[in-house]
Structure formats: structure tokens, C-alpha cells
Amino acid sequence: MDKMKTLLEKDELMKAVHGIEIGSGNAECFFCDVQTDSRMISQDCKAMFVPLIGEFQDGHKYIPSVLEKNPGVILLNDSEYHKRIDFYDELAKKYDEVCFIKVENTLHALQAAAKAYVEKNCSSMIKVSITGSSGKTTTKEMLVSICKEYFGEENVAYTKGNFNSETGLPLSVFKIKGNEKIGIFEMGMNRFGEIEEISDVWKSKYGIITNIGTAHIGILKSRENIAREKRHSFDFIPENGAAFVPFDDDFADFCLENVKGEKVKFGKSVPVSESGVEFGESLGLFGTDFLVDGIKIHLSLSGEYNYQNALGVVALAKKLGIDAVSIKQGIENVCSVGGRMEILKTELKNHKNCVLIKDCYNANLDSMLKVLDFCQNLDEKTYSKKIFVLADMKELGEESEKSHKAVGEKINSISPAFVVLIGHEMKVCYDAIKNKENVLWFQESSPMNFEMTGEKILEKVNGSEIVLLKGSHSMELDKLIPYFVLSKNEGEIQ
């Protein structure tokens, strides 16, 4: 077996994770993949399995089934090992070709191994991080598209899907081949300290914070705490690097306080002479036209907030020396990311057409108000009616009641043709709406409630309506779509 292809040599891995080997000590320690989910391990590629201990699951119980798939390395928590010393010693003896390593904490060991892998393989790579309360994935997709145009597709490493967490980012960086010219990785968070941990893994040279909003405010309690966490993504930016923040964000200066590198603000308020970007025209559902260094660019993604994300991407791209033609080609190649502000011209089961806005991947007060503002500002002559199906915004904690009430107050100012509210927390929104004549509230996402909602939408749509679906991913609003959309007749607006 070719030792050169192992992700980390045995001594490198042991040093990184401060591990102690169980068994004979003669196992080879070869692995070309890293997984925390036993179902993702393939017999075609020797993997390092990292069992994690969560609130409801303990990955250690899957070690026996993983061993049937011929892994290369098994990590296990020291505390778990000492609970069942004989059991694990027997496994190490039976599977003596597998390298068993006990560590103090498997999550921290995963991060430490990923950090060692980055230090070994990414020293010549341009390293970019992207975080923020919303817009991370869209921003990443735009920057990746631009960099593929400029550097070549094979020279860009980046976050796939939403692998941006305390486990997702380490798993993502293990996919880096090492010969790419640039790496672009998202950083998400669900707790205090998470951004700081994964920033230490990646150590970006350039970083974008898209905004400081209210996502995860239920966990972090205040926007200042969110900003304090997010700015950790700038911790390792060197003097020859740069940090990018929105000009008009009230936490922009706070986020830049400790940055060693260049501090760059982006947004519509930045003068053209400084940014090289000139606003052209908002095209509503059809995006935004603008110019970069005199070259016209069409952003197909709708909403002023997507234009704001594009301005951050342009600012960073220009700092990297990427030309306006590559920026244009990259941005114009970007389509909506699945579940995030997808705009579809759709034929319904009543054979009428509508414009369906699907924004069902995530929801917090900021993103909810932004999409409602967007719908409110659409041309009334073209889109005569607006139908909203809104579901609970999760993870808001103590802010939940106030946030859902704010959505109800926003609806009062818009006066849509019809509103369906779904979820326990949306009851507060329902109570805040003054005119309930065209408002329904359902306590939960369920097939029966989705069927009733679909029937109401079909009653209301006559051919020039906007139908908005917006809620947290766990509310499963995407499962509502088959109840009113004609099968196989969805298509993106051109």
C-alpha cells in the first residue's frame, strides 16, 4: 500500500491528537478518508473513524460495525476506553491491522488532526473563511464560481453542502488535495467557542463576515455575543491578509477591532472611487445589474441582501487581483443554492401559474424580514397578489416570542392576499396580525395541514401571484410543495 497517499503519517497523527495506541503498536495507520458517520465509510477506501459523543448518540457503539468495513484507524475517547478496557483490548487484538488510538476527546482530536493536515498540505494555498448570520453559503458559492473562472476549477477547494461546523469544517479540509491554489470554507456555529475552534484549524488569510444578525441568538443571547463569536474567524489573519465586513453593519468596527491585516468595508455606501463598483438597476425578481471597473454584471439572485453579498465577494476578489471579466463570468454563472431564495415559475395543479419563492433552508428574524421586504417591494401591477406560508423560526430562545411578534407586525404593514402560519411559535405571529380574515394558523407541520394549505393556495391563485415559503429547515415546508405544484413542472425563472 502506498504510504505517500495516507492523509497523515502515524507519527504526525499521534503527535497532533496526543494519542496513545491500543494493541500491539504494529498497525500501519493508513487512512485516505475521515468520517464521523459509520454509514459513510466505504470498504473501497480505508478510513479513520472518529466516534463522537452527542446529546442523544454515542458513536462508539458503531465501532464493531465499522470494523467490518476494513478501516485504517479508529479513535476513541479515553473515558469510553476505561469503561470497557477488556472489550477494546480484545477488538484491537482481533483487528490487529487497524490502528486503535485513544484520545482525551474525539471531537478535539478530529479538529487537531485536521489542523495538522492543513499545516502539512496548505501552506502555499490562499485560505479564505466566510461566516455571518446569513448569506454564508450564497457568498461562498459566488466566490467559488469567480475563483473557478480565474484559477481553474481543479484549483479551488471549498465547503461542500453545509459542512461548516465544529465537525463539518475539519471533515471538509480533509478533502483538500493539497495542490489547489485557493481554499474557501464556511464557518458556522451553534455554541460559544465554535468559531474560535475551527478558525484555529483553518487559519485563513482572508475572511468575510456577511452580517451580524439574530441567527442563534437563543444560544448566544445578544447580537454583541454573536459578533464576538463571529470575529474569531479573523483571529489568524496575518498582516498581509485582509478582513471584510459590511460598511453599514452596526458591528462592523467591533468585528475589526483585533484584526492584524487590512480592514476592508464593503457595501452600497462605499464610494465607487474606492470600491470600483457602481450600482446599476434593481430588477426585482430578476436580480440586480451593476458595474465592476466599468464592466456590466448581471446578478440573477434576487434581493438587495444578495447584492450586498455580491459586493463582499467583489471586494475580496479584487483584493486577490482577480480581473473584472472573471468576476463577471463567475457571478453570472451562479444560481440559487437549493432551499435558499429559489425563485421558480411554476404551474400549479389548477393549471394556473405563479412565481414560487422557496426559502426553506433556514430562518431567523433578519432573513424573514428581508424576504418579506423583498416581496413587499415587488411591482404590484405585475404581481397582483402575495401569498405567504411562514413557519417557525427555530433556535431563537428567549428572543422567540419577540421575533415572531415582529413578523406579525411586518405582515400588518404589507397586507398580503393570504397568509398561512405553521408551528407552535407562529401563534405569537398570528396573534399580532390585526386582520385575520385571510390568515390561517396550524399548530404543526403535518401531511393533513399541508394538504389543507395546498388546497387554499390553489383556491387563491389565478395566475399573477407570488407564493412565498419561508421557515426553518426542521419545519419541512419543502414537503408542502407537492400538495399544490403540478409534478415535474417547476422551472427556474430565466
Side-chain angles (χ1 to χ4, degrees):
M1 194 171 288
D2 186 356
K3 293 283 287 183
M4 294 300 292
K5 291 185 179 178
T6 189
L7 294 178
L8 289 171
E9 299 290 350
K10 189 173 186 176
D11 60 337
E12 294 170 331
L13 177 62
M14 296 291 283
K15 181 180 178 181
V17 304
H18 303 290
I20 298 174
E21 188 173 359
I22 298 167
S24 67
N26 296 322
E28 188 176 13
C29 192
F30 177 96
F31 64 105
C32 55
D33 187 25
V34 180
Q35 294 292 345
T36 58
D37 186 338
S38 61
R39 296 166 297 181
M40 300 301 293
I41 293 177
S42 169
Q43 291 186 336
D44 298 331
C45 177
K46 279 188 175 291
M48 178 168 74
F49 177 57
V50 185
L52 301 176
I53 300 175
E55 187 176 355
F56 304 109
Q57 281 275 21
D58 184 344
H60 290 85
K61 71 180 182 180
Y62 300 108
I63 288 176
S65 63
V66 168
L67 288 167
E68 299 301 318
K69 297 182 179 182
N70 193 31
V73 183
I74 299 284
L75 298 188
L76 64 154
N77 268 19
D78 184 69
S79 58
E80 169 64 19
Y81 172 72
H82 280 97
K83 288 178 187 175
R84 309 173 71 189
I85 292 176
D86 292 342
F87 173 73
Y88 287 111
D89 282 349
E90 191 61 35
L91 283 181
K93 183 178 179 181
K94 180 179 178 182
Y95 297 92
D96 59 354
E97 75 284 4
V98 179
C99 186
F100 286 79
I101 302 173
K102 70 182 177 73
V103 297
E104 184 176 344
N105 179 295
T106 49
L107 170 61
H108 295 160
L110 171 66
Q111 294 171 346
K115 178 180 175 180
Y117 183 77
V118 169
E119 290 173 352
K120 177 182 178 180
N121 292 282
C122 305
S123 59
S124 61
M125 179 184 294
I126 301 167
K127 293 187 288 183
V128 178
S129 65
I130 298 171
T131 192
S133 294
S134 59
K136 292 185 293 294
T137 301
T138 301
T139 299
K140 175 204 69 182
E141 292 295 325
M142 282 193 274
L143 184 59
V144 167
S145 184
I146 289 169
C147 289
K148 283 182 176 180
E149 288 292 332
Y150 185 75
F151 293 107
E153 187 164 350
E154 71 284 356
N155 290 318
V156 184
Y158 56 96
T159 305
K160 306 295 197 302
N162 63 340
F163 273 61
N164 61 14
S165 65
E166 61 188 1
T167 57
L169 183 130
L171 292 173
S172 291
V173 301
F174 275 118
K175 304 296 183 185
I176 295 171
K177 296 173 186 174
N179 57 356
E180 298 93 340
K181 293 181 179 178
I182 188 169
I184 303 163
F185 287 87
E186 288 181 51
M187 294 184 177
M189 67 175 186
N190 287 293
R191 61 171 175 82
F192 283 105
E194 189 168 1
I195 294 282
E196 188 172 10
E197 288 174 14
I198 57 182
S199 293
D200 187 39
V201 171
W202 183 230
K203 290 185 171 67
S204 57
K205 181 177 181 179
Y206 300 94
I208 297 178
I209 294 177
T210 60
N211 51 56
I212 301 299
T214 57
H216 307 303
I217 201 166
I219 300 167
L220 300 180
K221 306 303 181 186
S222 71
R223 287 183 66 229
E224 182 174 338
N225 284 340
I226 292 169
R228 184 170 284 108
E229 288 296 308
K230 294 292 185 183
R231 73 179 184 179
H232 279 301
S233 64
F234 295 159
D235 280 356
F236 296 94
I237 291 175
E239 290 184 4
N240 63 343
F244 299 77
V245 297
F247 185 94
D248 293 319
D249 195 293
D250 50 343
F251 282 95
D253 291 331
F254 180 80
C255 288
L256 293 172
E257 277 181 5
N258 301 316
V259 171
K260 298 183 183 73
E262 186 177 355
K263 303 174 181 181
V264 181
K265 293 182 179 180
F266 62 86
K268 290 178 71 174
S269 299
V270 178
V272 177
S273 58
E274 187 177 326
S275 68
V277 180
E278 183 177 355
F279 176 74
E281 179 184 7
S282 172
L283 303 174
L285 285 173
F286 301 94
T288 305
D289 284 343
F290 62 103
L291 290 86
V292 173
D293 296 339
I295 293 178
K296 184 177 178 180
I297 297 176
H298 173 65
L299 173 66
S300 63
L301 304 180
S302 306
E304 185 174 341
Y305 49 93
N306 277 323
Y307 176 55
Q308 168 84 347
N309 293 333
L311 293 178
V313 169
V314 170
L316 197 154
K318 286 172 70 67
K319 189 61 62 178
L320 295 178
I322 298 176
D323 60 278
V325 172
S326 296
I327 293 172
K328 171 184 173 67
Q329 291 171 336
I331 287 179
E332 292 186 349
N333 284 339
V334 171
C335 299
S336 294
V337 181
R340 295 173 170 90
M341 198 61 178
E342 290 182 88
I343 299 179
L344 309 162
K345 195 169 187 178
T346 307
E347 184 179 358
L348 306 187
K349 289 184 174 181
N350 61 1
H351 300 291
K352 302 290 186 178
N353 293 323
C354 79
V355 173
L356 176 64
I357 301 176
K358 291 167 56 181
D359 201 351
C360 314
Y361 187 81
N362 206 352
N364 54 61
L365 182 59
D366 297 308
S367 64
M368 185 72 80
L369 295 181
K370 283 176 182 177
V371 76
L372 291 175
D373 276 333
F374 173 72
C375 291
Q376 182 179 18
N377 293 328
L378 291 173
D379 180 17
E380 293 285 349
K381 293 179 182 178
T382 307
Y383 306 106
S384 59
K385 293 181 182 176
K386 289 151 189 175
I387 297 169
F388 300 157
V389 182
L390 310 178
D392 284 352
M393 302 177 287
K394 297 295 189 181
E395 298 181 355
L396 298 184
E398 295 173 359
E399 296 291 316
S400 180
E401 183 174 346
K402 183 171 72 174
S403 297
H404 285 85
K405 182 180 180 181
V407 174
E409 292 168 348
K410 182 66 178 178
I411 289 171
N412 288 331
S413 70
I414 300 174
S415 299
F418 191 66
V419 178
V420 180
L421 305 172
I422 299 175
H424 295 276
E425 295 170 85
M426 272 295 169
K427 179 63 163 59
V428 178
C429 176
Y430 177 78
D431 291 340
I433 296 174
K434 294 176 181 177
N435 181 6
K436 294 183 174 61
E437 184 179 348
N438 290 309
V439 182
L440 290 178
W441 171 67
F442 294 112
Q443 194 165 355
E444 61 184 4
S445 300
S446 70
M448 182 177 71
N449 292 338
F450 284 162
E451 183 177 5
M452 293 174 66
T453 300
E455 289 172 357
K456 285 293 184 181
I457 292 172
L458 293 173
E459 285 177 17
K460 300 291 182 180
V461 171
N462 291 312
S464 59
E465 285 82 7
I466 295 288
V467 178
L468 167 67
L469 307 185
K470 175 70 175 176
S472 286
H473 187 61
S474 61
M475 296 304 294
E476 300 184 317
L477 283 186
D478 54 313
K479 292 184 178 180
L480 165 65
I481 294 169
Y483 288 96
F484 66 97
V485 170
L486 191 64
S487 178
K488 298 182 181 180
N489 276 288
E490 288 188 33
E492 286 191 27
I493 284 184
Q494 301 299 315

